[in-house]
Every structure is written in C-alpha cells, then in structure tokens.
Amino acid sequence: MIFDTHAHYYDSAFDPDRDALLSALPEKGVRLAVCPGCDLDSSRASLALAERYDYLYAAAGFHPENLEGAALAALDQVRELCAHPKAVAVGEIGLDYYWVRTPEGRANARDFFDAQLSLAQQLDLPAIVHDRDAHKDCLDIVRAHPDSRGVFHCYSGSLEDARVLVDRGWMLSFTGNITFKNARRAPEVLRWLPLDRLMLETDAPYMAPEPHRGERCDSSLIPLMAATVAQLRGLTTEEVLEITLENGKRFFNIKEG
Ligand SMILES: [Zn+2]
C-alpha cells in the first residue's frame, strides 16, 4: 500500500521504459503517486501521465531552478493546469539557494514562491515546497501566508524549523536520503514528528534509498524508507506505509486508492 507523494515520471531518465515501468508499479504495491511539475512543459507532461494511469496524480508549478525566462504572468497558465481533475497541488515551488546564487535570481525566486503560494491558497490546493539551503526565507514566506497549507518535500531542515511548520499545520515528506548512513538531522526530526504529518516520497529518478543509492529510483522502493521510519518509531514497515497512505490521501484530498 505505497503512496509515493513525489516522483518525476516525465523525467528523461524514464524515456527508455516509462510505460512498462508505470504499468507494472501497481503489481509492486504502489497504490497512489503524485508527479509534480517544474515548469509549464513538465506540468503538462505530469497531467498527461495522470490521465493515462489511474493511480497517478499531478501537480503544476514553477520550480525555483526553472525560472529562466519565465514571467509571473505564466502563473495564469499554472492556474489553468490546476483546474484539471487530476491536479492535486501547486508544485513544486520554493527556493533553492544552492543552485540560484545571484541576489537578483534569489529575489525573483522569492517573488515566484510568494505568488504561487498565494495561488495555491486561492485554488484551495496544498503546495509542494522545495527548500534547499534557504530555510529562513522559505519559512518567512510561509509565515506571510498564514492560511496556506503544504508540504516541505525532501525535508532537510532542523527540528526547530520542523516545529514551526507542524504548528502551522504543514506536512513534512522524506526521501531515500533518510536511509543514508550520514543522515543526521532527519532521524532526529523523524523521532519527534507527529505521525499524522509524515509523508514518504522517492523524488524519482533521484534520491534512491540504500542499498540502491545512486541508481535510478521509482515508487516501488518506498518500503525501504518506511522501514527506516519504522525502526525509529518502533512500528512495522506495514504500519508506516498505511499511515503515510492515509496522510497523503487526506493531504491531497484523494478519495480513491
Ligand atoms: Zn522534485
């Protein structure tokens, strides 16, 4: 009963065998998955995949690394894409100060994040937030939208920041990086996190869990993340999968699956 809340199946890493892989995932226990876009083309591609596979849902938005040449007016098209019956979130959006280094680039990314979080609120959709090396500014923008709801995906922040998000009703989602031997902050956060705020994801094709680190990842590997959480919380892997399935369905307002 796997719910992979974040997998980029339009990525070219899946070009050789996308349909064979996606057709086979339900037999491997995948009940639901969400494919977030990173710009208009990938958001459209996510929705097209969601139309083909019942268990697949999509999100539309501009990733902070994909803002080159984009204007805020393009958010009108994100709004239109979000009207699709299988669009369940605005995303992925956020800030990435690892890749975006210039002050102008970062200011532009903050404008996009701010506007897309407002859009999510207007559409009554959750937001899928990418935060890399930009914890403080991400939290400031979330604080400026007190009625927004969302998830920090591939959570990499501190326990202190996690408390701020949880107090605001937000979710945290974790990838295969929690299985890495050098994982430090994530285990601390996972030992504390209220279980109703937890979601799991692959961020496929990246972030494959141990012992597949560095390989192409897909949703069938989610039980390896669940096993890590189970160990930290004294639960079974099955229990963690069930909890994260229910959390994801509630968060994305998905009735089936
Ligand atoms: Zn992603």
Side-chain angles (χ1 to χ4, degrees):
M1 51 175 80
I2 291 165
F3 190 167
D4 181 357
T5 58
H6 195 116
H8 298 278
Y9 283 122
Y10 56 78
D11 191 279
S12 59
F14 296 105
D15 284 352
D17 60 345
R18 182 176 293 102
D19 281 313
L21 173 78
L22 291 176
S23 306
L25 285 180
E27 292 152 35
K28 296 180 178 175
V30 177
R31 197 83 80 77
L32 292 166
V34 171
C35 184
C38 288
D39 54 23
L40 293 176
D41 282 347
S42 57
S43 297
R44 286 189 196 103
S46 299
L47 285 163
L49 288 172
E51 285 172 0
R52 292 186 61 165
Y53 297 94
D54 284 349
Y55 69 89
L56 209 53
Y57 289 77
F62 278 96
H63 189 288
E65 282 174 59
N66 297 63
L67 298 176
E68 190 102 5
L72 282 169
L75 298 188
D76 288 342
Q77 283 158 279
V78 172
R79 178 191 297 272
E80 282 167 30
L81 293 172
C82 285
H84 191 287
K86 293 202 82 177
V88 291
V90 175
E92 63 183 280
I93 65 177
L95 299 176
D96 192 316
Y97 288 174
Y98 180 83
W99 289 110
V100 181
R101 298 272 179 177
T102 66
E104 310 80 61
R106 289 180 176 183
N108 184 46
R110 285 194 294 274
D111 288 346
F112 264 85
F113 182 22
D114 184 78
Q116 292 186 101
L117 202 47
S118 296
L119 177 63
Q121 262 182 273
Q122 287 165 23
L123 298 174
D124 197 21
L125 288 175
I128 300 169
V129 173
H130 169 104
D131 163 19
R132 187 164 183 197
D133 296 351
H135 304 319
K136 186 192 169 296
D137 286 355
C138 277
L139 281 183
D140 282 349
I141 291 173
V142 167
R143 282 195 191 93
H145 296 78
D147 296 324
S148 62
R149 59 194 181 91
V151 57
F152 270 50
H153 106 90
C154 193
Y155 186 71
S156 61
S158 64
L159 180 57
E160 199 185 347
D161 290 349
R163 286 184 200 278
V164 174
L165 288 165
V166 163
D167 281 349
R168 292 181 171 271
W170 281 56
M171 310 285 284
L172 305 183
S173 153
F174 295 84
T175 62
N177 64 355
I178 64 174
T179 68
F180 299 168
K181 283 176 189 65
N182 60 354
R184 289 194 320 273
R185 295 215 278 195
E188 186 190 12
V189 174
L190 280 166
R191 269 187 220 106
W192 164 83
L193 184 67
L195 285 172
D196 64 345
R197 302 308 178 81
L198 169 70
M199 298 198 297
L200 296 177
E201 58 168 295
T202 53
D203 205 12
Y206 311 108
M207 290 288 181
E210 293 287 3
H212 300 281
R213 190 169 181 177
E215 296 170 21
R216 190 183 76 172
C217 188
D218 68 63
S219 306
S220 66
L221 298 180
I222 288 277
L224 294 167
M225 286 74 127
T228 299
V229 176
Q231 205 176 13
L232 289 166
R233 298 300 292 250
L235 298 166
T236 66
T237 299
E238 276 306 306
E239 284 169 331
V240 173
L241 289 175
E242 183 160 356
I243 289 165
T244 52
L245 173 70
E246 290 309 317
N247 289 347
K249 287 173 69 174
R250 189 180 70 247
F251 176 73
F252 291 111
N253 195 21
I254 295 172
K255 304 280 183 259
E256 305 82 323

